[in-house]
């Protein structure tokens, strides 16, 4: 594993830690390169039901390491942050960003690629290419617009100003703000809840919602998952557990059939 980025797995939750606190967890070129492979390993691990992305030392990430920007910031398709972002967005299981401190630039790009974003009340957010004269990648811009709308996206990208967690929640960049020092406890509880639910339902939801937002074939995606549900009996176990007033033991843990 490359220095500055590592993963831990416990009780169904895979935690990816950006761990370079002396640089406010700025992502080096090697860290960007290694993230897709790390995610592949977690996706293949059947013990992992949900992934939490977080930072060490009180910050999420200050973005790309400016000293390595010429290596990181390539053309749009091979841009290292874009490749990592696409891998995170395509991760088949639920993903949750747990955000403390600074979540800026490429850090905000990674957080936006997660399914959900929880933050401490004193977290700070910004997207800063306008400070450097850079063009923000097309995929990241598209994702941002879908999250916060065109006006808020322009506000963030035009100004490069930092905003607080309250404003980030208001515009849709965040899903929940946690007061005090309760972020890690809240995220752990929520991740535990997700890990207990049907992975088939979650993965189907992710595919269908992504198809809707991308303007793709929603009916075809939904039918594919209905067929998968019928074939594996996930719903049979869920209904039986409900009627018997017990916790379900969902049988589906893997990749859908072709």
């Amino acid at each position: 594993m490359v220095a500055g980025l590592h993963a831990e797995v416990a009780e169904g939750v895979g935690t990816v830690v950006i761990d370079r606190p002396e640089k406010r967890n700025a992502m080096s070129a090697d860290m960007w390169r290694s993230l897709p492979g790390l995610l592949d390993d977690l996706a293949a691990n059947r013990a992992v039901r949900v992934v939490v992305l977080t930072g060490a030392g009180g910050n999420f990430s200050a973005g790309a390491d400016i000293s390595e920007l010429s290596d990181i910031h390539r053309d749009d398709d091979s841009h290292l942050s874009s490749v990592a972002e696409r891998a995170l967005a395509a991760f088949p299981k639920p993903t949750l960003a747990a955000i403390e401190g600074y979540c800026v630039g490429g850090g905000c790009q990674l957080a936006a690629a997660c399914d959900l974003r929880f933050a401490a009340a004193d977290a700070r957010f910004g997207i800063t290419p306008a400070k450097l004269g850079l063009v923000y990648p097309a995929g990241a811009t598209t994702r941002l617009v879908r999250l916060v709308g065109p006006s808020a996206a322009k506000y963030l990208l035009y100004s490069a100003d930092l905003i607080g967690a309250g404003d980030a929640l208001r515009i849709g960049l965040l899903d929940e703000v946690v007061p005090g020092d309760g972020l890690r406890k809240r995220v752990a509880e929520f991740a535990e809840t997700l890990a207990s639910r049907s992975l088939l339902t979650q993965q189907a939801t992710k595919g269908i919602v992504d198809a809707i937002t991308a303007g793709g074939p929603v009916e075809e995606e939904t039918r594919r998952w209905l067929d998968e549900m019928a074939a594996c009996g996930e719903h049979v176990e869920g209904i039986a557990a409900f009627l018997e007033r017990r916790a379900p033991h969902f049988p589906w843990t893997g990749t859908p059939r072709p």
Side-chain angles (χ1 to χ4, degrees), residues 133-148:
L134 299 173
V135 176
Y136 203 49
T141 304
T142 300
R143 199 175 315 281
L144 181 65
V145 170
R146 287 174 179 164
L147 272 179
V148 305

Side-chain angles (χ1 to χ4, degrees), residues 17-65:
V17 182
I18 307 170
D19 190 0
R20 203 183 177 203
E22 73 280 5
K23 293 276 192 176
R24 287 183 176 171
N25 297 330
M27 295 276 290
S28 68
D30 283 344
M31 291 165 70
W32 287 113
R33 287 190 189 96
S34 70
L35 183 57
L38 185 152
L39 292 170
D40 285 344
D41 290 343
L42 291 172
N45 186 342
R46 293 199 171 193
V48 174
R49 309 280 296 194
V50 57
V51 162
V52 174
L53 177 64
T54 192
N59 287 299
F60 185 76
S61 175
D65 188 332

Side-chain angles (χ1 to χ4, degrees), residues 27-29 32-33 35-36 63-64 69 71-88 105-107 109-110 113 136-137 140:
M27 295 276 290
S28 68
W32 287 113
R33 287 190 189 96
L35 183 57
L69 205 58
D71 192 5
I72 296 166
H73 198 277
R74 305 176 179 185
D75 66 85
D76 206 61
D77 286 338
S78 65
H79 194 303
L80 292 184
S81 70
S82 295
V83 173
E85 175 201 354
R86 289 194 294 267
L88 182 57
Q109 185 179 355
L110 288 175
Y136 203 49

Side-chain angles (χ1 to χ4, degrees), residues 143-177:
R143 199 175 315 281
L144 181 65
V145 170
R146 287 174 179 164
L147 272 179
V148 305
S151 181
K154 288 176 181 177
Y155 178 94
L156 292 169
L157 288 165
Y158 285 177
S159 70
D161 284 346
L162 299 187
I163 63 172
D167 285 334
L169 180 67
R170 175 181 57 80
I171 65 175
L173 187 59
L174 289 176
D175 297 288
E176 191 169 319
V177 174

Side-chain angles (χ1 to χ4, degrees), residues 7 12-17 35-36 38-44 48-54 60 84-99 107-119 143 147 173-176 187-188 190-195 198-199 201-207 209-210:
V13 180
T15 302
V16 178
V17 182
L35 183 57
L38 185 152
L39 292 170
D40 285 344
D41 290 343
L42 291 172
V48 174
R49 309 280 296 194
V50 57
V51 162
V52 174
L53 177 64
T54 192
F60 185 76
E85 175 201 354
R86 289 194 294 267
L88 182 57
F91 190 80
K93 304 168 187 180
T95 54
L96 171 62
I99 302 163
C108 206
Q109 185 179 355
L110 288 175
C114 291
D115 295 320
L116 300 168
R117 286 152 296 282
F118 286 32
R143 199 175 315 281
L147 272 179
L173 187 59
L174 289 176
D175 297 288
E176 191 169 319
V187 168
F190 191 75
E192 181 181 355
T193 295
L194 295 188
S198 167
L199 182 59
T201 298
Q202 293 166 343
Q203 199 160 322
T205 299
K206 190 163 189 169
V209 170
D210 287 350

